[in-house]
Amino acid sequence: MQAATMSIISDKLRTRFALATNVLVLTGAGVSAESGVPTFRGGGNTAVWKGMPFSVISSAGMVERDLPEVWEWFNYRRGVLASLKPNPAHEAIARWQDSFDDFTLVTQNIDGLHQSAGSRDVIELHGSIWRTRCLDCDARHNVRELKFDNGAPACFDCGGHLRPDVVLFGEMLPTGAFERAAVVAGICELCFVVGTSAVVYPAASLPEIARAAGAYVVEVNPELTPLSDLCDEVLTGKAGEILPMFQTLGHKKAQKAQDNFE
Ligand code: BJW
Ligand code: ZN
């Protein structure tokens, strides 16, 4: 592992960034922290709702025991998120998608801020707070524009109980999402791991897969994580300050486009 200060992107990383054709970015709650979204862990704080740690209120068991309470918690968060905007980290990542021949963004976040910044085809490993899923007919509904009163809302198709379409502890990830991400992890040349404590699996295994397959793995985080030792470089600092620094670096695709233009 090679530590780096905020202002330094090593020559090796500059070259890797300039020449890479296949890039994978994995993000976690920290990428949204500068937008005002609270993280789950770190900073000595653990998110709690009415005295329950998030690992209890955001659990599969809680959906079974008390769905209206789960909805109260998610409605509160939907209210907070509705007014928040993407930050320079989301914006930098959105620009990267047109800079490389193959670019894949995988997020553990459910806040939709990558899409708001312009990212396309985002692999959402843990679902979206802006979608619901019917416990009875399994229909998904986009409910971004809707406000719910307290209590579990009813399915627009069958009248059954809706739940947030997010992956709670002990639940399976959406079919195919991790598998698609793992395929990219196995072939990418450069893998950025941004703003995740890297303790929740299987998401945390993606950089491990990438590293084992020979990718150059770069972590961006103000704090060290269990993944830091595995990384080729650790850029210690805030994503919203570090990621925009890459904007000034050239990369092969941009150069090719420039050559074609001239
Ligand atoms: C900044 C910053 C700035 C701050 N800039 N950075 C293998 C081993 C052990 C356990 C398991 C295993 N495989 C599976 C498990 C079980 C479990 C698990 O991983 N448990 C571990 C915690 C022990 N995994 C699961 O249950 C998963 N399901 C599954 O594997 O299904 C198969 C299966 C089923 C049943 C049995 C067996 C297998 C599902 C995981 C779903 C996670 N869901 C949550 C809640 C979503 C709903 C909600 O929002 O309420 O997703 S948990 C929570 O953690 C949320 C996040 O997506 C996830 C990851 O957190 P993240 O993003 O890393 O955030 P933080 O807060 O932890 O870290 C923030 C970081 O940002 C910090 O490092 C800061 O320093 C940094 N930061 N400011 C850059 N400005
Ligand atoms: Zn239904």
Side-chain angles (χ1 to χ4, degrees), residues 27-31 33-34 39-42 54 58 73-74 77 108-110 126 166-173 194-202 220-225 237-240:
T27 63
V31 80
E34 290 156 80
T39 60
F40 296 91
R41 306 168 188 85
F54 80 91
S58 281
W73 158 236
F74 275 86
R77 292 166 71 193
Q108 298 167 82
N109 298 345
I110 61 172
H126 295 163
V166 300
V167 183
L168 305 171
F169 273 111
E171 294 187 320
M172 304 297 285
L173 272 57
V194 183
T196 176
S197 58
V199 296
V200 174
Y201 281 80
V220 179
N221 198 313
E223 293 176 21
L224 295 178
T225 75
K238 294 181 175 179

Side-chain angles (χ1 to χ4, degrees), residues 26 29 43 46 48 50 57 68 72 76-77 82 85 91-92 138 157 161 163 171 183 186 198 209 215 218 222 257 260:
L26 170 68
T46 304
V48 287
K50 296 186 178 174
I57 183 69
E72 214 182 303
Y76 162 73
R77 292 166 71 193
K85 301 267 180 290
E91 286 159 6
D138 210 37
D157 292 345
H161 293 304
R163 57 160 285 178
E171 294 187 320
V183 167
I209 294 169
V218 180
N260 290 342

Side-chain angles (χ1 to χ4, degrees), residues 9-98:
I9 299 169
S10 73
D11 288 345
K12 199 167 180 183
L13 179 51
R14 277 168 203 270
T15 306
R16 299 263 178 180
F17 191 82
L19 297 180
T21 54
N22 195 329
V23 174
L24 171 67
V25 176
L26 170 68
T27 63
V31 80
S32 296
E34 290 156 80
S35 293
V37 183
T39 60
F40 296 91
R41 306 168 188 85
N45 293 320
T46 304
V48 287
W49 171 251
K50 296 186 178 174
M52 283 179 271
F54 80 91
S55 54
V56 172
I57 183 69
S58 281
S59 68
M62 199 65 191
V63 169
E64 282 169 22
R65 281 195 305 278
D66 196 347
L67 187 57
E69 189 67 46
V70 173
W71 268 111
E72 214 182 303
W73 158 236
F74 275 86
N75 282 339
Y76 162 73
R77 292 166 71 193
R78 283 159 50 90
V80 171
L81 285 173
S83 63
L84 301 182
K85 301 267 180 290
N87 67 56
H90 297 106
E91 286 159 6
I93 293 169
R95 283 193 297 267
W96 288 2
Q97 72 196 341
D98 295 320

